Amino acid sequence: MKKFLALVMAASMAFSLVACGGASASSAASTAEGASTEATAEAAGSGKTDVAFVTDVGNIDDQSFNQYTWQGVQDFCSANGLSANYYRPTEDSDAARLEQMDNAVNDGAKAIVVAGYLFGTSIAEAQAKYPDVQFLALDVATTDLSADGSVQPASNTALITYKEEQAGYLAGYAAVYDGYKELGFLGGMAVPAVIRYGYGFVQGADAAAKELGVTDVNIKYWYSGGFAATDEVKNKMDGWYSEGTEVVFACGGPVCQSCDAAAQANGGKMIGVDVDQSGQFDTVITSAMKALANSVNVALTDAMNNGWKFTEAYAAKQTVLGAAENCVGLPMETSKFTNFTQEQYDKLYQEIVDGTLVVDDSFDTAVTPAVTNVNVDYQG
């Protein structure tokens, strides 16, 4: 657990914000051996690429998946004397994502890293098109590769997903133990990762309530239907906070911006997601995190040490990482708890690692977690 904290804190502190700088079809930020982590924008094809990162719809300064995955690529390449470039699609489409993979291969990439389920279809095509290039896809499941399940990850593809339910559990448990009784879960789209976060959050809150012997913990639970920050989401959160909700677990990319705006307006608090968002939003008391940079390093090291081919530990399959692999957790060093302690967190974390505590990993909206001490209002 302390290794996890060290990894995520090092990544968040080392990364300096960078701008796209008006880059066009392919944006490349080079970090040759000994170079600064502050990226410099370059045009596609302007230099050699060993490892490429193709961004999601955002940019590498999004303080979320793009930023921390890119940081992992930079760290790995800097440590191994390799060059790293990032490529930003011109639009949100499979064709645009594949175009940037084409550009990366043309620049000599041995490995291409992507993050987010939107890459499923383009990875399915790219892995067949470029059998000698290794594809590392974070937060992409086998079921994302094709709608009918007919496409499987090839030997040059490693899919990594996470045990979000464990991170959600830790956040829910900590919030209730810290004294919050009016909670909310704001999910974006009801996709498996978001659902697991939410269901883990409910389970953790219920476990803490049970230990404390309280039955008056309430959770409002809602999927906004998208990941964008909208007036609808802000208005919904305004309603929650004004009705007494103290802290909302905002799980779904930019929707957290709407939640933060409502929290600020109403004196509420928020729980961040995926990365440590305490530096982005003053309302954040903690974040349910994934160690993205660590995942990149572990998987790419596996490929590099095997002649740029994934070993059977990662090749042609979906690997699910959690607490046991130091890949989910809370950033206790930046969390704003008043009652929940590091000692309590360490004990709880270790119980998840050794299997004493098993968190239900369901992601079916029709099957909700069984609870005894919390009241959950699942809203349409």
Side-chain angles (χ1 to χ4, degrees):
M1 185 282 304
K2 292 181 179 178
K3 179 181 177 183
F4 170 81
L5 283 177
L7 287 165
V8 297
M9 290 303 296
S12 62
M13 294 176 67
F15 196 86
S16 57
L17 295 184
V18 293
C20 184
S24 57
S26 173
S27 300
S30 297
T31 54
E33 181 178 14
S36 167
T37 56
E38 183 175 355
T40 302
E42 296 181 357
S46 62
K48 178 176 177 292
T49 295
D50 291 312
V51 180
F53 172 53
V54 179
T55 73
D56 199 348
V57 292
N59 201 5
I60 57 169
D61 60 354
D62 65 355
Q63 300 189 45
S64 189
F65 261 78
N66 285 326
Q67 179 170 321
Y68 285 85
T69 306
W70 170 234
Q71 180 63 47
V73 172
Q74 287 183 297
D75 290 345
F76 171 79
C77 288
S78 294
N80 292 284
L82 302 171
S83 62
N85 288 320
Y86 78 89
Y87 298 77
R88 187 181 182 191
T90 56
E91 63 181 21
D92 180 12
S93 71
D94 293 330
R97 285 182 273 273
L98 187 61
E99 177 187 26
Q100 297 313 316
M101 294 183 200
D102 292 337
N103 288 334
V105 173
N106 290 336
D107 286 347
K110 301 179 180 69
I112 295 177
V113 181
V114 302
Y117 75 96
L118 291 174
F119 279 95
T121 301
S122 52
I123 284 291
E125 185 172 346
Q127 68 178 6
K129 187 175 183 179
Y130 301 112
D132 295 327
V133 176
Q134 305 303 296
F135 293 92
L136 172 60
L138 306 186
D139 236 35
V140 178
T142 300
T143 52
D144 295 322
L145 300 185
S146 60
D148 60 3
S150 60
V151 180
Q152 296 295 307
S155 60
N156 61 326
T157 296
L159 307 180
I160 288 180
T161 56
Y162 299 89
K163 296 181 180 181
E164 293 91 356
E165 70 279 0
Q166 295 179 348
Y169 186 101
L170 292 166
Y173 185 98
V176 172
Y177 225 102
D178 208 50
Y180 296 101
K181 291 188 175 183
E182 297 297 329
L183 312 178
F185 175 77
L186 164 63
M189 295 178 66
V191 295
V194 174
I195 298 171
R196 284 193 293 266
Y197 266 132
Y199 286 2
F201 184 69
V202 169
Q203 293 173 69
D206 187 58
K210 191 172 184 178
E211 287 186 26
L212 292 169
V214 298
T215 58
D216 56 345
V217 174
N218 301 302
I219 303 175
K220 291 184 172 69
Y221 197 110
W222 179 63
Y223 297 107
S224 66
F227 295 120
T230 66
D231 289 340
E232 178 192 6
V233 175
K234 182 182 181 300
N235 291 338
K236 182 81 168 182
M237 294 302 100
D238 275 329
W240 281 10
Y241 284 120
S242 65
E243 292 167 0
T245 297
E246 299 167 292
V247 59
V248 175
F249 182 13
C251 184
V255 298
C256 64
Q257 297 169 16
S258 298
C259 186
D260 173 67
Q264 289 190 52
N266 295 276
K269 300 298 182 182
M270 187 171 73
I271 293 173
V273 72
D274 290 335
V275 300
D276 184 357
Q277 294 187 312
S278 61
Q280 184 179 4
F281 303 111
D282 291 338
T283 58
V284 167
I285 61 169
T286 193
S287 299
M289 298 175 56
K290 303 173 183 178
L292 301 170
N294 183 37
S295 307
V296 171
N297 180 66
V298 170
L300 289 185
T301 298
D302 174 83
M304 181 182 67
N305 291 344
N306 192 45
W308 287 107
K309 290 185 178 180
F310 289 117
T311 69
E312 62 181 14
Y314 293 94
K317 64 182 177 181
Q318 175 184 340
T319 302
V320 185
L321 305 178
E325 296 79 23
N326 299 298
C327 280
V328 298
L330 306 181
M332 290 296 290
E333 293 173 8
T334 60
S335 294
K336 301 171 184 175
F337 296 128
T338 56
N339 298 314
F340 185 65
T341 68
Q342 180 73 53
E343 183 179 2
Q344 288 174 304
Y345 177 77
D346 289 345
K347 180 178 182 295
L348 187 65
Y349 197 94
Q350 186 57 44
E351 289 175 353
I352 296 176
V353 170
D354 63 27
T356 303
L357 170 59
V358 178
V359 185
D360 184 354
D361 63 353
S362 297
F363 55 92
D364 183 348
T365 54
V367 181
T368 55
V371 295
T372 59
N373 286 58
V374 299
N375 310 297
V376 187
D377 175 15
Y378 293 98
Q379 302 181 8

